[in-house]
């Protein structure tokens, strides 16, 4: 949390199993790999803990500031600091490779597609690296490298087989060719911002607009990429949230779409009917995001500190 604690909580009685005080704020999303809890710090260290006892097993200095969300594949952990993108052997703790990119910190979760790993940073760039070597394949920016607030620094890119879909704070939807990073389409038609996701079956792309609406578009390589065609194929649902800028990724599970607001609201939408099932008011601060546990239950948390089981 923001006062530097790492906590393990018993779900049955809500008591602490253990708690560690690190001394500085932690914004990195923790992840479990082979019974180890992995957490990154703003001092640029990747820490490994025994998840049962909380005992620290290792500290890997990678430099920069770690505030993002890692991804793991085949016991390899991939994450970005503010000065490098790193691939770490999650079993041994050894750094396999690192690329001295990005030039600013990255908050989103990287996307792995085949031999590529794709992520955005607050240096105005979206990067595509070879996941095996760390070599840069391509990088993209919106042409405005002086306005860092328009960066794809806190986005979770969505992919079809050969295209990448994402939205950025400049209120544009962008579709790129995955192989080359070439821009296929950019549109400000819906005033989207940072919150996006995809359906469980991979058929739909979701994004939230700044007017508190849910946008749905086909996630297909066969889609003719013109603004007119996208508008024709789109659906927009008013979530009754008003002005919105919460960046939490949109999550779908068991035919339900979960959307978080800046004011502690969670809207649950029927994915098939594309209509609101209900709105849950959890607090007054921004929703951090959604996670599913190994029992298929959906959890969320708020910046003000609450952790909630939704389903």
């Amino acid at each position: 949390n923001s006062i530097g604690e790492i906590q393990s909580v018993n779900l049955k009685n809500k008591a602490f199993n253990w708690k560690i005080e690190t001394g500085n704020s932690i914004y990195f999303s923790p992840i479990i790999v082979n019974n180890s809890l992995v957490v990154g710090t703003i001092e640029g260290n990747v820490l490994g803990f025994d998840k049962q006892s909380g005992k620290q097993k290792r500290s890997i200095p990678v430099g920069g500031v770690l505030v993002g969300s890692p991804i793991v594949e085949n016991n390899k952990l991939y994450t970005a600091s503010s000065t490098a993108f790193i691939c770490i052997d999650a079993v041994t703790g050894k750094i396999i490779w690192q690329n001295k990119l990005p030039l600013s910190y990255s908050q989103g979760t990287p996307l792995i597609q085949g031999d590529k790993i794709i992520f955005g940073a607050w240096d105005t760039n979206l990067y595509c690296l070879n996941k095996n070597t760390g070599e840069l394949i391509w990088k993209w920016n919106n042409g405005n490298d002086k306005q860092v607030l328009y960066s794809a620094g806190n986005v979770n890119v969505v992919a079809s087989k050969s295209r990448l879909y994402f939205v950025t704070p400049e209120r544009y939807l962008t579709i790129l060719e995955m192989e080359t990073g070439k821009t296929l389409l950019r549109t400000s038609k819906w005033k989207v911002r940072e919150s996006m996701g995809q359906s469980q079956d991979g058929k739909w792309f979701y994004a939230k607009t700044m007017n508190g609406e849910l946008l749905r578009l086909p996630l297909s390589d066969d889609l003719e990429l013109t603004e007119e065609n996208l508008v024709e194929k789109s659906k927009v649902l008013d979530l009754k949230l008003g002005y919105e800028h919460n960046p939490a990724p949109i999550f779908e599970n068991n035919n339900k779409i979960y959307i978080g607001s800046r004011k502690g609201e969670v809207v649950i939408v029927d994915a098939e009917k594309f209509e609101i099932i209900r709105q849950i008011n959890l607090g007054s601060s921004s929703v951090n995001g959604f996670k599913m546990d190994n029992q298929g239950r959906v959890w969320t948390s708020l910046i003000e500190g609450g952790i909630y089981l939704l389903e």
Side-chain angles (χ1 to χ4, degrees):
N1 59 27
S2 60
I3 58 174
E5 298 172 336
I6 303 170
Q7 304 173 354
S8 171
V9 180
N10 185 303
L11 294 182
K12 292 183 179 179
N13 60 22
K14 301 181 184 178
F16 287 118
N17 296 318
W18 49 261
K19 181 169 69 173
I20 298 165
E21 296 182 2
T22 66
N24 276 316
S25 299
I26 295 174
Y27 299 108
F28 188 91
S29 297
I31 193 167
I32 301 289
V33 190
N34 279 346
N35 292 318
S36 290
L37 171 68
V38 179
V39 179
T41 72
I42 61 173
E43 297 94 350
N45 298 312
V46 176
L47 307 178
F49 300 89
D50 182 279
K51 74 171 187 177
Q52 298 297 333
S53 67
K55 181 180 179 181
Q56 185 170 323
K57 299 162 71 173
R58 62 174 61 99
S59 176
I60 308 164
V62 298
V65 176
L66 288 156
V67 295
S69 299
I71 190 168
V72 171
E73 182 186 68
N74 297 328
N75 288 326
K76 294 177 181 177
L77 184 142
Y78 301 86
T79 193
S81 79
S82 58
T83 57
F85 194 91
I86 312 115
C87 173
I88 296 174
D89 186 315
V91 178
T92 66
K94 293 182 179 179
I95 296 175
I96 298 173
W97 58 257
Q98 57 181 320
N99 187 318
K100 293 298 183 181
L101 294 169
L103 303 177
S104 183
Y105 62 96
S106 176
Q107 289 176 267
T109 304
L111 171 71
I112 293 177
Q113 289 289 108
D115 63 353
K116 298 177 179 62
I117 188 158
I118 298 141
F119 66 99
W122 285 107
D123 60 6
T124 75
N125 294 310
L126 187 79
Y127 295 95
C128 176
L129 307 182
N130 183 302
K131 75 173 184 184
N132 300 310
T133 66
E135 180 183 1
L136 178 67
I137 298 173
W138 54 258
K139 69 177 180 178
W140 172 95
N141 73 47
N142 59 20
N144 187 350
D145 58 6
K146 294 187 177 7
Q147 180 48 278
V148 296
L149 294 179
Y150 289 163
S151 300
N154 192 18
V155 303
N156 289 359
V157 179
V158 173
S160 61
K161 287 184 179 179
S162 64
R163 295 171 177 174
L164 300 172
Y165 290 62
F166 61 98
V167 298
T168 46
E170 59 183 331
R171 307 178 193 183
Y172 271 80
L173 162 69
T174 301
I175 303 176
L176 304 182
E177 184 178 76
M178 189 185 307
E179 198 64 30
T180 64
K182 176 185 175 183
T183 301
L184 299 176
L185 180 85
R186 273 170 60 78
T187 174
S188 59
K189 171 69 180 176
W190 292 284
K191 292 183 171 56
V192 287
R193 188 175 167 95
E194 290 170 297
S195 181
M196 74 198 82
Q198 71 180 84
S199 61
Q200 226 170 346
D201 60 12
K203 293 181 179 179
W204 301 104
F205 171 77
Y206 300 130
K208 187 174 60 180
T209 75
M210 292 191 73
N211 297 318
E213 302 160 323
L214 178 63
L215 167 67
R216 187 183 77 179
L217 293 171
L219 194 58
S220 169
D221 290 345
D222 299 324
L223 184 67
E224 180 189 357
L225 290 182
T226 64
E227 185 175 279
E228 293 76 16
N229 191 45
L230 283 183
V231 170
E232 182 182 336
K233 302 291 186 184
S234 69
K235 269 198 168 185
V236 176
L237 175 66
D238 186 357
L239 300 170
K240 314 295 184 184
L241 294 173
Y243 172 69
E244 248 306 303
H245 54 69
N246 175 290
I250 296 167
F251 180 74
E252 183 181 319
N253 178 55
N254 196 25
N255 201 43
K256 294 175 182 175
I257 307 168
Y258 297 83
I259 306 103
S261 85
R262 65 188 177 95
K263 298 180 292 185
E265 303 145 316
V266 173
V267 180
I268 303 176
V269 172
D270 185 301
E272 187 175 348
K273 298 178 181 178
F274 207 62
E275 59 185 38
I276 296 173
I277 298 173
R278 64 183 175 276
Q279 177 180 307
I280 307 170
N281 298 320
L282 299 175
S284 59
S285 62
S286 193
V287 173
N288 287 316
F290 303 97
K291 294 289 184 183
M292 185 174 67
D293 65 21
N294 55 15
Q295 298 178 45
R297 301 176 301 179
V298 178
W299 295 77
T300 192
S301 65
L302 301 187
I303 284 180
E304 66 199 61
I307 300 171
Y308 302 90
L309 174 62
L310 298 177
E311 295 284 340

